[in-house]
Amino acid sequence: GKSGYNHYMLKEINEQPRALRQCLRGRVNELLRIVQVDEVINLETPNAVQFVACGTSYHAALYGAQFFRECGVMAQTFLASEYTAATVPMGEGTLVIGVTQSGETADTMRALREASAAGATTLAMTNVVGSSAARECDHAMYIRAGPEISVAATKTFGSQQVAAVLLATALIGVADQSLLAALRGLPDHVQTVLDSSRARDVAEAYLDADSYFFIGRGYNMPVALEAALKTKEITYKHAEGFAAGELKHGPLALVTEDTPVFALLTAGVNFEKTLSNVREVEARGGPVIAVTDSPKEVKGYADHVLEVPETHSTVAPIVANVQLQLVSYWIANRLGRPIDKPRNLAKSVTVE
Ligand code: M6R
């Protein structure tokens, strides 16, 4: 059941600390500074990684590929529906990772089968033990988020992001101590957001908007895309996510005082540049909602602030995403949408 929540989506958003704890359990050894993923213990370090996925899982894959690259492994991300092994150069030792909550998505299954036929080693990163992806791939790594009922994926997104970081670290053997400590703290940080979020008030303030923008750079870019997808899916309103730097290359023309822009402003190398993009929005009269761990630095630039605890810059976007899940939920809730079963959508998409 929904354990007292009005919707599975809200229940699942609130289950994230537990889901993340389960994903991390027994895999991180902070003392030895290593990550061990039992499922891939026999997997060699790949020369290159190709992620294939759809929807929310694609956004998690974008984040994961970025982390692999930071670890020094060539990594690319493909929409499963656009992936063809024939047009992607596949060298020796290429690992193709299908990120799929259900393990049943037809587009992702086809891409994995094609990759396998082309000689790649395949790995399913999935939530469902015994799913088609888990059975058919050479390897399966479980994200252990627990059952997700809501059509809109929430808790599985963060778990997929964490699983990708764990997988890369396990395969490469590089474990940054501060990153491992941040992963340990992640469930508590998410809990802090769940306990203190002002997302409901922010949703209320921008209920009338026809369109919502989300911007972020680096690890926050996939989170911006994910927030827009979630908003479209459950509120039925137009929403778009952009790499913050792309705003001035076109979409800025759409920004007026009726276009709320949610900016992911977590501390790190991308903070200052994203803040200048925020100034460009402000100058056009666009309302700015900052999702940030640095409230002092954004003062004067943001109309609303959604605060997140300070943590490692790689992990912060995972926490920031929770604020935006809640914003989309409360907008949809106030508009009376059928949140758990949006029109035209199915939980598992089994046709190409
Ligand atoms: O089960 P999968 O992760 O393969 O599903 C992929 C997409 O269909 C899924 O993430 C979809 O985009 C969700 N409804 C997003 O909330």
Side-chain angles (χ1 to χ4, degrees):
K2 294 179 207 153
S3 335
Y5 291 101
N6 285 332
H7 298 98
Y8 280 108
M9 184 184 177
L10 189 59
K11 174 177 180 260
E12 287 157 6
I13 289 172
N14 278 281
E15 281 171 349
Q16 287 177 110
R18 176 147 181 262
L20 294 166
R21 246 173 233 122
Q22 280 169 185
C23 185
L24 291 162
R25 182 174 306 136
R27 288 171 166 172
V28 178
N29 188 329
E30 260 184 273
L31 216 63
L32 297 179
R33 293 203 201 176
I34 55 164
V35 169
Q36 269 176 321
V37 176
D38 289 344
E39 297 105 304
V40 298
I41 218 115
N42 297 316
L43 187 58
E44 275 172 45
T45 311
N47 294 324
V49 170
Q50 295 175 356
F51 281 95
V52 293
C54 308
T56 292
S57 296
Y58 172 73
H59 299 147
L62 284 174
Y63 171 96
Q66 205 171 313
F67 186 77
F68 268 87
R69 288 194 293 274
E70 207 170 283
C71 293
V73 176
M74 190 164 75
Q76 296 167 284
T77 314
F78 300 89
L79 289 165
S81 57
E82 293 291 327
Y83 180 85
T84 48
T87 54
V88 181
M90 180 109 58
E92 268 291 292
T94 298
L95 175 67
V96 176
I97 303 174
V99 183
T100 169
Q101 187 284 129
S102 63
E104 303 297 343
T105 302
D107 289 317
T108 309
M109 289 309 299
R110 185 209 49 85
L112 285 167
R113 286 178 191 134
E114 214 174 294
S116 179
T121 301
T122 54
L123 182 145
M125 183 175 283
T126 183
N127 197 28
V128 181
V129 177
S131 58
S132 299
R135 283 184 283 111
E136 286 192 33
C137 286
D138 300 313
H139 304 268
M141 174 179 178
Y142 295 106
I143 65 166
R144 307 175 182 163
E148 190 177 67
I149 309 293
S150 166
V151 166
T154 53
K155 63 174 175 174
T156 52
F157 179 63
S159 299
Q160 289 168 337
Q161 290 172 294
V162 168
V165 169
L166 293 177
L167 178 66
T169 313
L171 289 176
I172 281 107
V174 186
D176 168 26
Q177 196 168 31
S178 64
L179 177 65
L180 296 187
L183 289 174
R184 169 166 42 84
L186 177 61
D188 286 344
H189 285 147
V190 169
Q191 191 64 57
T192 302
V193 168
L194 294 170
D195 293 342
S196 64
S197 178
R198 297 192 53 244
R200 196 174 182 166
D201 301 332
V202 169
E204 195 68 41
Y206 299 106
L207 227 43
D208 295 336
D210 292 325
S211 181
Y212 302 94
F213 283 9
F214 299 88
I215 60 170
R217 280 175 186 256
Y219 288 114
N220 275 317
M221 197 272 267
V223 173
L225 303 187
E226 170 59 10
L229 175 62
K230 214 92 299 170
T231 304
K232 286 175 209 172
E233 213 174 359
I234 63 166
T235 73
Y236 301 165
K237 295 238 207 172
H238 176 249
E240 278 193 75
F242 304 103
E246 276 298 294
L247 215 54
K248 60 183 172 303
H249 296 292
L252 196 55
L254 294 170
V255 172
T256 67
E257 58 196 23
D258 298 322
T259 323
V261 179
F262 290 80
L264 289 145
L265 281 159
T266 53
V269 288
N270 293 307
F271 183 87
E272 284 304 327
K273 282 187 185 172
T274 311
L275 195 58
S276 23
N277 302 132
V278 161
R279 284 192 206 106
E280 293 156 8
V281 171
E282 281 276 295
R284 274 86 191 166
V288 172
I289 305 93
V291 185
T292 188
D293 49 15
S294 314
K296 283 200 195 85
E297 280 84 343
V298 306
K299 217 166 173 236
Y301 302 113
D303 299 274
H304 283 91
V305 170
L306 291 168
E307 212 176 321
V308 292
E310 274 179 55
T311 180
H312 191 287
S313 60
T314 305
V315 175
I318 304 176
V319 188
N321 178 60
V322 177
Q323 288 284 19
L324 297 178
Q325 290 174 337
L326 289 167
V327 171
S328 64
Y329 174 82
W330 287 116
I331 294 173
N333 182 290
R334 278 285 278 110
L335 296 174
R337 306 296 190 224
I339 294 180
D340 286 335
K341 281 190 185 298
R343 67 186 175 205
N344 311 337
L345 301 177
K347 181 64 179 163
S348 177
V349 185
T350 51
V351 289
E352 282 186 35

